[in-house]
Structure formats: structure tokens, C-alpha cells
Amino acid sequence: MKAALAVVLAGLAGMALAQSGQNSKSLPPINPDRPDLTNGVGITPIGKIVLETGYRQTGSGGVTLHEWGDGPTWRYGVSDKFEIRLVSPAYAADSFGDKGWEDAGVGFKYLLHDGGDGGGFKKPSYAIQGGTTLPSGSNAFRSKQLLPFLIGIVDFDLGAKGDLGANIGAGRQLDGNGRSFTLYSTSLSYGRSLAAALTGYFEGYMLVPTGAGNGAAGHYVDSGLEYLLTNDCMLDASVGTQVDRHRQAAYFDVGVSFRF
């Protein structure tokens, strides 16, 4: 499966390279939401499609989860301020022997205010993102009900000093007994150009479950690199870990995003 994913990712990157000369040079470089948790305010250009996909491996409590596709997300620009989003099923396998497809999802992102380039802390940009999972996966990974979420996005364009983004969100999740609860999240991510086509980022985030028996808040940090292969194709790699004592989770992922 890993070899197949490598072939698929290479094929997608090749398609982006082939199409880079056909796409308008006037478009800004692709700016995907992956791989960090913090999403930006960027909207897919009108009439364009962006695909963000990859491979993710997570280890927690002696259990390893592999996700081929890493929530493959299709984004389509409807207007300068609005895009629709479709999450395709990712193929997952864990160390218990469970294998199958994860749930699909649908959603949107709406740009509330554009603070402009280099607006800094005085002129931030705002957006809102929402959606829901669809109970469409294999039995081992299906949520069996809709799990909606809503995220508020703030972005500070610091010009040559980089970009600072923050998210705050809430979404429904299922516990081990199939009962739903609300999971709150907050994140902060800082990214900065390291070279002509290379960007690095560092992020911290917190997940806060509600309800008895769903555990305490989890705190995480991650960091990664993004490489602009062409104006329409971005490669990425990242690693992260939980920092709470006695509750350690670690993960890494690699991916590709391209616009056509």
C-alpha cells in the first residue's frame, strides 16, 4: 500500500508539472491548508480545483494507525470569498488488524474579511469554515452519524516576517461507546519562508473534550516543511507529538497538493 501511495503521489505531482504551463501565471502560488491543523483564510481561485492528499502515521498507547490519503480534500472556488470542500475516504489500517475506508465529508470556507498583504496585527483577515463527516466508511472506521464542525480562522500576514494563523473550533466526536460529545480545539501556527521555494512552520494546538469519561485536554506541537514545486504544486512533510505527561501520541505525514 505504501508503494502504491508513492506511485499515486508521484503521478499527481507529475500531472501538476504538466499542467503548470497551462495555468494562468497571474494566479498566486498554491496555498494549501495541509499539513498543519491550523487552516488559513485562503480561498481557491474561481473555477479552479485543489486536491490535498498524503500519508499519515500516528502512534498512541502502543497502537499505530496508518492513513493512506490523510483525508484527501477537494476544494473548488465558487467566488472570491467562497469555496466548497469534499473530503474523499482515506484508506486506514491499525495494529489491531482493522482495515477499511474512513468516512467522507463535505464542507465550505467563507472569507469574511481580507486584511490585505502585509496587514500585520492591525489588519488581520478572517474566515469561517464548516462542514460535517458523512457515515460512509467501512464498519471499523464509520462514525454511524453525521459529525458537524465549525471553525473560526484569523490570519496575520506579517510580510517578510512570515505569517501567523489562529483557529478556534468545535465539532462533534464519538466516544468508545458510540455516544457523541463536543470536542473544542484551538491552534496557533507560525510559518516563514526559508528559501525561494521552501517554507517552514511551527504549530501548537489544544484539544478539549467535553463530557465525563472523555479524558482531559490534550496539548500538541508539530513542525514541518513545504516546498513549492511549481506555481500549482506543493509538497510537504511534518512531524508532531503530544506533550502531556503519561499520554504520549506521535505522528508524521507527507503529502502533495496541486491545483488544476
Side-chain angles (χ1 to χ4, degrees):
M1 182 63 74
K2 291 183 179 180
L5 176 70
V7 172
V8 171
L9 294 182
L12 293 177
M15 289 174 61
L17 282 169
Q19 293 182 359
S20 62
Q22 302 173 13
N23 284 353
S24 173
K25 297 293 185 180
S26 63
L27 289 177
I30 185 174
N31 185 22
D33 281 334
R34 63 164 295 119
D36 58 349
L37 179 73
T38 306
N39 286 345
V41 299
I43 300 295
T44 302
I46 298 174
K48 293 294 183 180
I49 297 174
V50 168
L51 171 61
E52 304 178 12
T53 187
Y55 165 77
R56 182 182 179 97
Q57 180 175 310
T58 305
S60 178
V63 178
T64 301
L65 174 66
H66 305 271
E67 295 170 284
W68 290 275
D70 192 19
T73 302
W74 300 82
R75 304 167 56 184
Y76 178 76
V78 177
S79 73
D80 290 336
K81 293 188 175 183
F82 186 79
E83 70 175 28
I84 56 175
R85 303 164 70 98
L86 171 65
V87 179
S88 302
Y91 187 82
D94 62 29
S95 51
F96 292 123
D98 295 320
K99 298 179 180 179
W101 298 99
E102 296 180 329
D103 286 343
V106 294
F108 71 92
K109 187 194 291 186
Y110 180 68
L111 178 63
L112 298 171
H113 173 71
D114 186 355
D117 295 335
F121 294 105
K122 294 183 178 180
K123 296 181 179 181
S125 299
Y126 305 94
I128 189 169
Q129 182 181 335
T132 183
T133 63
L134 302 174
S136 54
S138 303
N139 287 335
F141 300 102
R142 183 182 300 172
S143 61
K144 297 181 175 62
Q145 66 181 69
L146 299 176
L147 298 175
F149 66 89
L150 189 66
I151 303 171
I153 304 170
V154 182
D155 188 81
F156 303 92
D157 189 330
L158 306 178
K161 295 182 179 180
D163 184 89
L164 182 66
N167 287 182
I168 183 168
R172 301 297 289 176
Q173 296 288 320
L174 295 181
D175 63 18
N177 297 313
R179 295 174 299 208
S180 65
F181 65 95
T182 299
L183 180 70
Y184 294 101
S185 63
T186 181
S187 66
L188 189 67
S189 180
Y190 173 72
R192 185 167 182 173
S193 176
L194 303 177
L198 184 66
T199 301
Y201 81 87
F202 181 80
E203 175 185 54
Y205 63 93
M206 179 171 62
L207 303 178
V208 185
T210 60
N214 293 321
H219 305 80
Y220 304 81
V221 294
D222 62 278
S223 184
L225 297 171
E226 298 171 303
Y227 182 76
L228 188 64
L229 186 63
T230 74
N231 200 54
D232 300 302
C233 181
M234 180 84 78
L235 308 178
D236 65 72
S238 63
V239 295
T241 186
Q242 186 177 6
V243 296
D244 301 293
R245 182 178 297 181
H246 307 310
R247 294 191 297 122
Q248 294 296 318
Y251 53 89
F252 74 87
D253 61 26
V254 293
V256 58
S257 303
F258 73 101
R259 179 175 62 199
F260 57 96

